[in-house]
Amino acid sequence: MKYNFNDIEAKWQKYWAENQTFKAENKSDKPKYYVLDMFPYPSGAGLHVGHPLGYIASDIYARYKRHQGFNVLHPQGYDSFGLPAEQYAIQTGQHPAITTAENIKTYRRQLDQIGFSFDWSREVRTSDPNYYKWTQWIFIQLFNSWYCKDHEKAFDIKDLINVFEESGNANINAVCDNDTEAFTAEEWRNFSSEEQQEILLQYRLTYLAETEVNWCPALGTVLANDEIVNGVSERGSHPVIRKKMTQWSMRISAYAERLLQGLDTIDWTDSLKESQRNWIGKSVGAQVKFKVVSNEVKEAAEIEVFTTRPDTIFGVSFMTLAPEHDLVQQITTPEQKDEVDAYIEATAKRSERDRMADVKTISGVFTGAYAIHPFTEKLIPIWIGDYVLAGYGTGAVMSVPCGDERDYAFAKHFNIPIPNIFEGVDISEEAFSDKEKTVIGNSDFLNGLNYKKATKRAIYELEKIGQGEGKTNYRLRDAVFSRQRYWGEPFPVYYVNGMPQMIDVEHLPIKLPEVEKYLPTETGEPPLGNATVWAWDTEKNEVVSNYLIDNETIHPLELNTMPGWAGSSWYFNRYMDANNENEFASKEALDYWQDVDLYIGGSEHATGHLLYSRFWQKFLFDKGVVPKDEYAKKLINQGMILGNSAKIKSLLVGLPYNKNNVPEIHPIKARMSFYSKNLLPDSNDWFKDEKIENEIINVILKDIPDNFDKIFGKDNPIANQLKGKQEPEIIKFLKGNLVFNHISIHVDVNMIDGNDKLNIDKFLEWRKEHKWAIYHYENDNDFIVSREVEKMSKRWYNVVNPDDICIKYGADSLRLYEMFLGPLEQYKPWNTAGITGVHSFLKKLWKLYADDNGLKVTDATPTKDNLKTLHKTIKKVQEDIENFSFNTSVSTFMIAANELTAQKCTSKDILEPLLVLISPYAPHIAEELWEQLGNNESISTAPFPEFDASHLVESIKNYPISFNGKMRFTMELPLDMSKDAIEEAVLANEKTQEQLAGRTPKKVIVVPGKIVNIVG
RNA sequence: GCUCAAGUGGCGGAAUUGGUAGACGCGCUGGAUUCAAAAUCCAGUUUCUUCGGAAGUGUGGGUUCGAUUCCCACCUUGAGUACCA
């Protein structure tokens, strides 16, 4: 019998599928255990070896829990709405549903091949109408809810309407928009229906409002804060600008405090909790009102500021408003108007990125207006400055230069006085901001108080005169929920007189309409604007043609779609009852499964998915839909598997791009790589060789003028001058202006051999596809290869496909090797060569059970050594699984196999339980040998072997004998020997005397069972 | 700048409460088998060494009989975040 892993793996994968081995029941006498993976977005590229890492870990745990007698729910599905399928649709016209279905097929094949124990009967796809029906349903629930601060809970909007009818909004502590105005019950009743709806939108947990959003022109859509990285879009790195738009938003800010508190109740990694805490950004302080004096302001204007240091209020020597602050125009004096306007214009021009990059430059303008200090009634000049952000707090600060570094720098720069209000502190050089050491002075009633007491007192005094109150501020913003895209969940919303109306839940799902093209319409509406059947008939309760819109019974439907995180914010609940057509999930299923016991996924979702999903869970909990307000008890982040990329030095040819007088090289897209040792050393010499220069110019000319933008890049100002010119003119221009630079460019790793030599034939073939022109290389040695470890990605050509590994070594080898690479949470590089280690372990394991003559296993009584090896292994593997230290249990298996082989063990009593230990890691080989041993049932529910400590009891210990802490030799002594006897025996040893060389030991430390240390 | 994590052979990594540093595997070296290769098996593999030993876990200090492990300072790398008042 040979270890034919391909046959064995195919056999058992088929068996598991046919017998539905891993189907979980919603009722059981066994305790439940829910192991969840973050479901994948099915991209066109398929899986690479980095993707299954977390799935393998969770699968091992799920299988382990089954061996332990749990009823395990281990589902999988697809986050199948999203940008790439849509971008592909725009390019090819292929419907995203078709692309998505194809990609899912590939994913499923690849996942099946690795032998996961998923319960596929519960598969979900966020783009499936039967699924997004309930995403729409949740949206409607959010729309029909408001948040009460007194109860810290969401309630039905009807309750709020009742309150409004009885007493207006004065006495209700609800979370609402900042600019919501007060009204009485009588006023409420006199409002028109539209006015009432508009007010209610200011309270609903999802609402339509004109807000400043992050608009990404290249993607043609808005983005949430977590979808922007370093000022550019997460996908594609396109610039993002601020823009006012009417958008759906989620009032996640209502849950800020609960999202923060909830973190203490769940077992997630500290770094992840810390990210969420930072993102929520709680700060405790006070809101203070400053009255404004200005000739320009007829009515008494007030500036509200938020501060975490109300104790320093007597140190205020100026105020600063964000340039975008609403009051700026009102309060600016005529003398200062020109200067202020110029400043506002200048800041508006700066992109988000510029502003972020440059935090050192101090800038600002005096408005000419003054505020009155609430206690001293002194006049305080009001400035504007771009270090104050419109988006945080109130967009205005009280500036205390003696206590805040930025205020200090601003005051110094503009020669504003810096009064000192700290006792015993020198502020002539820098601000003093150590709260712990603060003692207030020069501050009337705050004198002599520390930070804590002064803060309390200041708030008390402010409240007394009605000019401030204690306040907690959160950085967490409401999340924009509309996307101007096609491939997402449609909103169950139609509009009557511009006011949004929810479609009754019984008519859900509202299916995504067909469109001719997936781009925005000519009038700039989202892609759904292209749909011809996209209006709501309120009588027939169905979607009908747009042409029928009469705004009486037939109304337009919402054209935006939901963002990617909508579907992923609740899918873990759907798995509990995935095929339920009548409910989100049945109460029985929800009550049985409760929540996720173990969730494994990437840390990149820390402030996106993992925050939004906690928000929705808390909301659904408030509504009594789900039984837990945190959905995942424990969460582990698997680290990324990094690829090994190869680069070769290459020459980049470009045109100078003069922006801000910075010479840059814009790459010519048909990259020109060439190689010659002679040409590399000094770039200045490169183009003295006219022959090469002419060759390059010829290549450029070949593509001009048809692909002008493609070659030079869009809007290259210098290249633009060339458009439409005759060839000789272009040549003349190119000769004078080409810029050359040499850089390293990624090439396919498969073209590089083990000695970092480039395979020229493969490379010449490959570069054709990648539009590289090669000039002037003399021999293979001209190509200098460098290596880099980085993220596995198609664009770095360093992707390793699990399919190839499965064919060559088998899924069990892949599973073991992924675990063997290192700790689960750690980032680690992939190196396919190492897989032979685990593969030969499996072969060795197989040989323990069978050889060419068939099965070797006998009924022989196990020896002491056999039992010791087995129980040592049981103990270690069990501990390892529970600590998610899967890499070390693979070593343990190797040691066990090596020992049992050396012991020539054939005993079934040893070899059978060993299979159960290995089966979570390498389930195929375990199932096969389990069957060979005569078992008829799958190994997957066989009980986990029990550890018996008695087999590990030893009578002799090999003591390390160390001198001054350094181990020098070992000595075998009985374990029951007394301390004194050990000391005597060690001192009597001739090696000890040798070490001491005649000296008397000062001290002898004996730790029985551990070590002997002689201090000499 | 701030926050967090991590620095151990040629490489991935191990060392569970402070107690034999380098488990296990890759790679490499030598050998067996083979016409040869693959596969397999055996031995060796931290460094230096006068072959007795000695040094050694980013650097410097400390606590301890004893430190990869605990404490202090610093260096390096990675991740997140950033004018948050």
PDB file of all heavy atoms in Angstrom, chain B residues 73-83:
ATOM      1  P     A B  73      12.595  53.494  30.755  1.00  0.00           P
ATOM      2  OP1   A B  73      11.865  54.774  30.861  1.00  0.00           O
ATOM      3  OP2   A B  73      11.963  52.338  30.106  1.00  0.00           O
ATOM      4  O5'   A B  73      14.000  53.768  30.035  1.00  0.00           O
ATOM      5  C5'   A B  73      14.776  54.892  30.410  1.00  0.00           C
ATOM      6  C4'   A B  73      16.125  54.819  29.728  1.00  0.00           C
ATOM      7  O4'   A B  73      16.801  53.594  30.111  1.00  0.00           O
ATOM      8  C3'   A B  73      16.079  54.740  28.207  1.00  0.00           C
ATOM      9  O3'   A B  73      15.856  55.989  27.585  1.00  0.00           O
ATOM     10  C2'   A B  73      17.465  54.167  27.903  1.00  0.00           C
ATOM     11  O2'   A B  73      18.469  55.136  28.011  1.00  0.00           O
ATOM     12  C1'   A B  73      17.610  53.142  29.030  1.00  0.00           C
ATOM     13  N9    A B  73      17.136  51.821  28.605  1.00  0.00           N
ATOM     14  C8    A B  73      15.932  51.200  28.856  1.00  0.00           C
ATOM     15  N7    A B  73      15.825  50.007  28.313  1.00  0.00           N
ATOM     16  C5    A B  73      17.026  49.831  27.651  1.00  0.00           C
ATOM     17  C6    A B  73      17.549  48.785  26.874  1.00  0.00           C
ATOM     18  N6    A B  73      16.876  47.650  26.624  1.00  0.00           N
ATOM     19  N1    A B  73      18.779  48.921  26.356  1.00  0.00           N
ATOM     20  C2    A B  73      19.452  50.051  26.602  1.00  0.00           C
ATOM     21  N3    A B  73      19.077  51.122  27.321  1.00  0.00           N
ATOM     22  C4    A B  73      17.847  50.939  27.825  1.00  0.00           C
ATOM     23  P     C B  74      15.042  56.037  26.207  1.00  0.00           P
ATOM     24  OP1   C B  74      14.825  57.461  25.866  1.00  0.00           O
ATOM     25  OP2   C B  74      13.895  55.113  26.302  1.00  0.00           O
ATOM     26  O5'   C B  74      16.090  55.425  25.178  1.00  0.00           O
ATOM     27  C5'   C B  74      17.276  56.149  24.848  1.00  0.00           C
ATOM     28  C4'   C B  74      18.258  55.253  24.139  1.00  0.00           C
ATOM     29  O4'   C B  74      18.420  54.003  24.871  1.00  0.00           O
ATOM     30  C3'   C B  74      17.837  54.778  22.753  1.00  0.00           C
ATOM     31  O3'   C B  74      18.027  55.765  21.761  1.00  0.00           O
ATOM     32  C2'   C B  74      18.757  53.577  22.563  1.00  0.00           C
ATOM     33  O2'   C B  74      20.075  53.964  22.244  1.00  0.00           O
ATOM     34  C1'   C B  74      18.737  52.959  23.963  1.00  0.00           C
ATOM     35  N1    C B  74      17.728  51.870  24.076  1.00  0.00           N
ATOM     36  C2    C B  74      18.046  50.619  23.534  1.00  0.00           C
ATOM     37  O2    C B  74      19.146  50.465  22.998  1.00  0.00           O
ATOM     38  N3    C B  74      17.148  49.612  23.606  1.00  0.00           N
ATOM     39  C4    C B  74      15.959  49.820  24.191  1.00  0.00           C
ATOM     40  N4    C B  74      15.117  48.802  24.235  1.00  0.00           N
ATOM     41  C5    C B  74      15.611  51.085  24.749  1.00  0.00           C
ATOM     42  C6    C B  74      16.508  52.073  24.668  1.00  0.00           C
ATOM     43  P     C B  75      17.092  55.740  20.457  1.00  0.00           P
ATOM     44  OP1   C B  75      17.332  56.991  19.717  1.00  0.00           O
ATOM     45  OP2   C B  75      15.717  55.362  20.853  1.00  0.00           O
ATOM     46  O5'   C B  75      17.715  54.534  19.619  1.00  0.00           O
ATOM     47  C5'   C B  75      19.048  54.607  19.129  1.00  0.00           C
ATOM     48  C4'   C B  75      19.407  53.311  18.435  1.00  0.00           C
ATOM     49  O4'   C B  75      19.361  52.221  19.383  1.00  0.00           O
ATOM     50  C3'   C B  75      18.438  52.874  17.343  1.00  0.00           C
ATOM     51  O3'   C B  75      18.677  53.544  16.118  1.00  0.00           O
ATOM     52  C2'   C B  75      18.722  51.386  17.257  1.00  0.00           C
ATOM     53  O2'   C B  75      19.912  51.113  16.548  1.00  0.00           O
ATOM     54  C1'   C B  75      18.919  51.030  18.734  1.00  0.00           C
ATOM     55  N1    C B  75      17.682  50.547  19.387  1.00  0.00           N
ATOM     56  C2    C B  75      17.235  49.237  19.130  1.00  0.00           C
ATOM     57  O2    C B  75      17.886  48.526  18.354  1.00  0.00           O
ATOM     58  N3    C B  75      16.114  48.781  19.719  1.00  0.00           N
ATOM     59  C4    C B  75      15.428  49.580  20.535  1.00  0.00           C
ATOM     60  N4    C B  75      14.323  49.085  21.105  1.00  0.00           N
ATOM     61  C5    C B  75      15.843  50.911  20.824  1.00  0.00           C
ATOM     62  C6    C B  75      16.966  51.354  20.230  1.00  0.00           C
ATOM     63  P     U B  76      17.460  53.816  15.125  1.00  0.00           P
ATOM     64  OP1   U B  76      17.967  54.657  14.017  1.00  0.00           O
ATOM     65  OP2   U B  76      16.279  54.255  15.915  1.00  0.00           O
ATOM     66  O5'   U B  76      17.160  52.361  14.559  1.00  0.00           O
ATOM     67  C5'   U B  76      18.124  51.683  13.756  1.00  0.00           C
ATOM     68  C4'   U B  76      17.656  50.276  13.480  1.00  0.00           C
ATOM     69  O4'   U B  76      17.500  49.554  14.729  1.00  0.00           O
ATOM     70  C3'   U B  76      16.284  50.171  12.829  1.00  0.00           C
ATOM     71  O3'   U B  76      16.333  50.407  11.439  1.00  0.00           O
ATOM     72  C2'   U B  76      15.883  48.743  13.192  1.00  0.00           C
ATOM     73  O2'   U B  76      16.521  47.799  12.369  1.00  0.00           O
ATOM     74  C1'   U B  76      16.436  48.618  14.610  1.00  0.00           C
ATOM     75  N1    U B  76      15.410  48.906  15.646  1.00  0.00           N
ATOM     76  C2    U B  76      14.502  47.896  15.952  1.00  0.00           C
ATOM     77  O2    U B  76      14.508  46.816  15.406  1.00  0.00           O
ATOM     78  N3    U B  76      13.585  48.213  16.920  1.00  0.00           N
ATOM     79  C4    U B  76      13.480  49.404  17.609  1.00  0.00           C
ATOM     80  O4    U B  76      12.597  49.532  18.465  1.00  0.00           O
ATOM     81  C5    U B  76      14.452  50.392  17.235  1.00  0.00           C
ATOM     82  C6    U B  76      15.360  50.115  16.290  1.00  0.00           C
ATOM     83  P     U B  77      15.066  51.030  10.713  1.00  0.00           P
ATOM     84  OP1   U B  77      15.480  51.382   9.342  1.00  0.00           O
ATOM     85  OP2   U B  77      14.453  52.064  11.576  1.00  0.00           O
ATOM     86  O5'   U B  77      14.082  49.788  10.652  1.00  0.00           O
ATOM     87  C5'   U B  77      14.425  48.640   9.877  1.00  0.00           C
ATOM     88  C4'   U B  77      13.462  47.520  10.160  1.00  0.00           C
ATOM     89  O4'   U B  77      13.500  47.190  11.581  1.00  0.00           O
ATOM     90  C3'   U B  77      11.992  47.836   9.910  1.00  0.00           C
ATOM     91  O3'   U B  77      11.658  47.751   8.540  1.00  0.00           O
ATOM     92  C2'   U B  77      11.307  46.762  10.755  1.00  0.00           C
ATOM     93  O2'   U B  77      11.319  45.512  10.122  1.00  0.00           O
ATOM     94  C1'   U B  77      12.219  46.719  11.983  1.00  0.00           C
ATOM     95  N1    U B  77      11.716  47.561  13.100  1.00  0.00           N
ATOM     96  C2    U B  77      10.696  47.036  13.886  1.00  0.00           C
ATOM     97  O2    U B  77      10.212  45.945  13.697  1.00  0.00           O
ATOM     98  N3    U B  77      10.278  47.855  14.911  1.00  0.00           N
ATOM     99  C4    U B  77      10.751  49.114  15.217  1.00  0.00           C
ATOM    100  O4    U B  77      10.276  49.725  16.170  1.00  0.00           O
ATOM    101  C5    U B  77      11.797  49.581  14.349  1.00  0.00           C
ATOM    102  C6    U B  77      12.236  48.803  13.346  1.00  0.00           C
ATOM    103  P     G B  78      10.480  48.688   7.990  1.00  0.00           P
ATOM    104  OP1   G B  78      10.499  48.555   6.516  1.00  0.00           O
ATOM    105  OP2   G B  78      10.558  50.022   8.601  1.00  0.00           O
ATOM    106  O5'   G B  78       9.185  47.955   8.549  1.00  0.00           O
ATOM    107  C5'   G B  78       8.825  46.673   8.056  1.00  0.00           C
ATOM    108  C4'   G B  78       7.714  46.095   8.897  1.00  0.00           C
ATOM    109  O4'   G B  78       8.141  46.003  10.284  1.00  0.00           O
ATOM    110  C3'   G B  78       6.439  46.922   8.974  1.00  0.00           C
ATOM    111  O3'   G B  78       5.633  46.779   7.828  1.00  0.00           O
ATOM    112  C2'   G B  78       5.786  46.346  10.236  1.00  0.00           C
ATOM    113  O2'   G B  78       5.205  45.088   9.984  1.00  0.00           O
ATOM    114  C1'   G B  78       7.011  46.165  11.131  1.00  0.00           C
ATOM    115  N9    G B  78       7.215  47.321  12.009  1.00  0.00           N
ATOM    116  C8    G B  78       8.164  48.309  11.885  1.00  0.00           C
ATOM    117  N7    G B  78       8.088  49.212  12.835  1.00  0.00           N
ATOM    118  C5    G B  78       7.030  48.796  13.628  1.00  0.00           C
ATOM    119  C6    G B  78       6.469  49.372  14.794  1.00  0.00           C
ATOM    120  O6    G B  78       6.823  50.392  15.395  1.00  0.00           O
ATOM    121  N1    G B  78       5.393  48.617  15.272  1.00  0.00           N
ATOM    122  C2    G B  78       4.910  47.479  14.700  1.00  0.00           C
ATOM    123  N2    G B  78       3.878  46.904  15.298  1.00  0.00           N
ATOM    124  N3    G B  78       5.428  46.928  13.610  1.00  0.00           N
ATOM    125  C4    G B  78       6.478  47.633  13.132  1.00  0.00           C
ATOM    126  P     A B  79       4.688  47.990   7.387  1.00  0.00           P
ATOM    127  OP1   A B  79       4.136  47.644   6.067  1.00  0.00           O
ATOM    128  OP2   A B  79       5.398  49.275   7.585  1.00  0.00           O
ATOM    129  O5'   A B  79       3.511  47.906   8.463  1.00  0.00           O
ATOM    130  C5'   A B  79       2.630  46.791   8.467  1.00  0.00           C
ATOM    131  C4'   A B  79       1.705  46.860   9.650  1.00  0.00           C
ATOM    132  O4'   A B  79       2.495  46.886  10.875  1.00  0.00           O
ATOM    133  C3'   A B  79       0.871  48.135   9.746  1.00  0.00           C
ATOM    134  O3'   A B  79      -0.268  48.094   8.911  1.00  0.00           O
ATOM    135  C2'   A B  79       0.514  48.148  11.235  1.00  0.00           C
ATOM    136  O2'   A B  79      -0.494  47.209  11.539  1.00  0.00           O
ATOM    137  C1'   A B  79       1.836  47.686  11.851  1.00  0.00           C
ATOM    138  N9    A B  79       2.702  48.816  12.200  1.00  0.00           N
ATOM    139  C8    A B  79       3.788  49.300  11.514  1.00  0.00           C
ATOM    140  N7    A B  79       4.361  50.328  12.093  1.00  0.00           N
ATOM    141  C5    A B  79       3.593  50.543  13.232  1.00  0.00           C
ATOM    142  C6    A B  79       3.679  51.485  14.269  1.00  0.00           C
ATOM    143  N6    A B  79       4.608  52.445  14.337  1.00  0.00           N
ATOM    144  N1    A B  79       2.764  51.425  15.247  1.00  0.00           N
ATOM    145  C2    A B  79       1.821  50.475  15.194  1.00  0.00           C
ATOM    146  N3    A B  79       1.635  49.518  14.274  1.00  0.00           N
ATOM    147  C4    A B  79       2.573  49.612  13.307  1.00  0.00           C
ATOM    148  P     G B  80      -0.806  49.476   8.264  1.00  0.00           P
ATOM    149  OP1   G B  80      -1.820  49.104   7.263  1.00  0.00           O
ATOM    150  OP2   G B  80       0.349  50.317   7.877  1.00  0.00           O
ATOM    151  O5'   G B  80      -1.533  50.166   9.490  1.00  0.00           O
ATOM    152  C5'   G B  80      -2.685  49.569  10.060  1.00  0.00           C
ATOM    153  C4'   G B  80      -3.001  50.219  11.376  1.00  0.00           C
ATOM    154  O4'   G B  80      -1.835  50.153  12.240  1.00  0.00           O
ATOM    155  C3'   G B  80      -3.302  51.709  11.310  1.00  0.00           C
ATOM    156  O3'   G B  80      -4.630  51.969  10.908  1.00  0.00           O
ATOM    157  C2'   G B  80      -3.031  52.140  12.752  1.00  0.00           C
ATOM    158  O2'   G B  80      -4.092  51.769  13.608  1.00  0.00           O
ATOM    159  C1'   G B  80      -1.798  51.289  13.084  1.00  0.00           C
ATOM    160  N9    G B  80      -0.549  52.028  12.845  1.00  0.00           N
ATOM    161  C8    G B  80       0.315  51.903  11.788  1.00  0.00           C
ATOM    162  N7    G B  80       1.343  52.711  11.870  1.00  0.00           N
ATOM    163  C5    G B  80       1.129  53.422  13.053  1.00  0.00           C
ATOM    164  C6    G B  80       1.904  54.439  13.670  1.00  0.00           C
ATOM    165  O6    G B  80       2.971  54.932  13.283  1.00  0.00           O
ATOM    166  N1    G B  80       1.315  54.874  14.850  1.00  0.00           N
ATOM    167  C2    G B  80       0.145  54.397  15.367  1.00  0.00           C
ATOM    168  N2    G B  80      -0.266  54.943  16.507  1.00  0.00           N
ATOM    169  N3    G B  80      -0.591  53.444  14.804  1.00  0.00           N
ATOM    170  C4    G B  80      -0.037  53.001  13.661  1.00  0.00           C
ATOM    171  P     U B  81      -4.963  53.286  10.050  1.00  0.00           P
ATOM    172  OP1   U B  81      -6.406  53.256   9.783  1.00  0.00           O
ATOM    173  OP2   U B  81      -3.999  53.408   8.937  1.00  0.00           O
ATOM    174  O5'   U B  81      -4.660  54.444  11.085  1.00  0.00           O
ATOM    175  C5'   U B  81      -5.542  54.687  12.184  1.00  0.00           C
ATOM    176  C4'   U B  81      -4.956  55.734  13.084  1.00  0.00           C
ATOM    177  O4'   U B  81      -3.645  55.302  13.529  1.00  0.00           O
ATOM    178  C3'   U B  81      -4.661  57.082  12.428  1.00  0.00           C
ATOM    179  O3'   U B  81      -5.814  57.880  12.259  1.00  0.00           O
ATOM    180  C2'   U B  81      -3.660  57.668  13.413  1.00  0.00           C
ATOM    181  O2'   U B  81      -4.292  58.123  14.583  1.00  0.00           O
ATOM    182  C1'   U B  81      -2.807  56.435  13.741  1.00  0.00           C
ATOM    183  N1    U B  81      -1.624  56.351  12.865  1.00  0.00           N
ATOM    184  C2    U B  81      -0.498  57.082  13.243  1.00  0.00           C
ATOM    185  O2    U B  81      -0.474  57.767  14.252  1.00  0.00           O
ATOM    186  N3    U B  81       0.573  56.985  12.389  1.00  0.00           N
ATOM    187  C4    U B  81       0.647  56.258  11.229  1.00  0.00           C
ATOM    188  O4    U B  81       1.697  56.274  10.576  1.00  0.00           O
ATOM    189  C5    U B  81      -0.540  55.528  10.896  1.00  0.00           C
ATOM    190  C6    U B  81      -1.613  55.601  11.703  1.00  0.00           C
ATOM    191  P     A B  82      -5.911  58.796  10.944  1.00  0.00           P
ATOM    192  OP1   A B  82      -7.328  59.146  10.805  1.00  0.00           O
ATOM    193  OP2   A B  82      -5.150  58.219   9.814  1.00  0.00           O
ATOM    194  O5'   A B  82      -5.113  60.089  11.419  1.00  0.00           O
ATOM    195  C5'   A B  82      -5.566  60.806  12.542  1.00  0.00           C
ATOM    196  C4'   A B  82      -4.418  61.538  13.133  1.00  0.00           C
ATOM    197  O4'   A B  82      -3.256  60.691  13.191  1.00  0.00           O
ATOM    198  C3'   A B  82      -3.906  62.704  12.302  1.00  0.00           C
ATOM    199  O3'   A B  82      -4.727  63.823  12.500  1.00  0.00           O
ATOM    200  C2'   A B  82      -2.511  62.907  12.876  1.00  0.00           C
ATOM    201  O2'   A B  82      -2.525  63.625  14.083  1.00  0.00           O
ATOM    202  C1'   A B  82      -2.092  61.475  13.181  1.00  0.00           C
ATOM    203  N9    A B  82      -1.157  60.954  12.176  1.00  0.00           N
ATOM    204  C8    A B  82      -1.364  59.997  11.210  1.00  0.00           C
ATOM    205  N7    A B  82      -0.305  59.754  10.471  1.00  0.00           N
ATOM    206  C5    A B  82       0.661  60.614  10.993  1.00  0.00           C
ATOM    207  C6    A B  82       1.996  60.850  10.658  1.00  0.00           C
ATOM    208  N6    A B  82       2.631  60.212   9.663  1.00  0.00           N
ATOM    209  N1    A B  82       2.674  61.764  11.371  1.00  0.00           N
ATOM    210  C2    A B  82       2.037  62.400  12.369  1.00  0.00           C
ATOM    211  N3    A B  82       0.781  62.266  12.784  1.00  0.00           N
ATOM    212  C4    A B  82       0.142  61.349  12.044  1.00  0.00           C
ATOM    213  P     C B  83      -4.555  65.099  11.565  1.00  0.00           P
ATOM    214  OP1   C B  83      -5.712  65.375  10.762  1.00  0.00           O
ATOM    215  OP2   C B  83      -3.221  64.908  10.947  1.00  0.00           O
ATOM    216  O5'   C B  83      -4.442  66.156  12.762  1.00  0.00           O
ATOM    217  C5'   C B  83      -3.729  65.787  13.944  1.00  0.00           C
ATOM    218  C4'   C B  83      -3.202  67.047  14.591  1.00  0.00           C
ATOM    219  O4'   C B  83      -2.565  67.854  13.583  1.00  0.00           O
ATOM    220  C3'   C B  83      -4.285  67.890  15.240  1.00  0.00           C
ATOM    221  O3'   C B  83      -3.950  68.168  16.580  1.00  0.00           O
ATOM    222  C2'   C B  83      -4.294  69.161  14.415  1.00  0.00           C
ATOM    223  O2'   C B  83      -4.536  70.274  15.193  1.00  0.00           O
ATOM    224  C1'   C B  83      -2.870  69.200  13.881  1.00  0.00           C
ATOM    225  N1    C B  83      -2.696  69.970  12.663  1.00  0.00           N
ATOM    226  C2    C B  83      -1.699  70.931  12.661  1.00  0.00           C
ATOM    227  O2    C B  83      -0.985  71.073  13.675  1.00  0.00           O
ATOM    228  N3    C B  83      -1.520  71.670  11.536  1.00  0.00           N
ATOM    229  C4    C B  83      -2.305  71.475  10.487  1.00  0.00           C
ATOM    230  N4    C B  83      -2.103  72.220   9.410  1.00  0.00           N
ATOM    231  C5    C B  83      -3.333  70.482  10.475  1.00  0.00           C
ATOM    232  C6    C B  83      -3.491  69.764  11.584  1.00  0.00           C
TER     233        C B  83
END
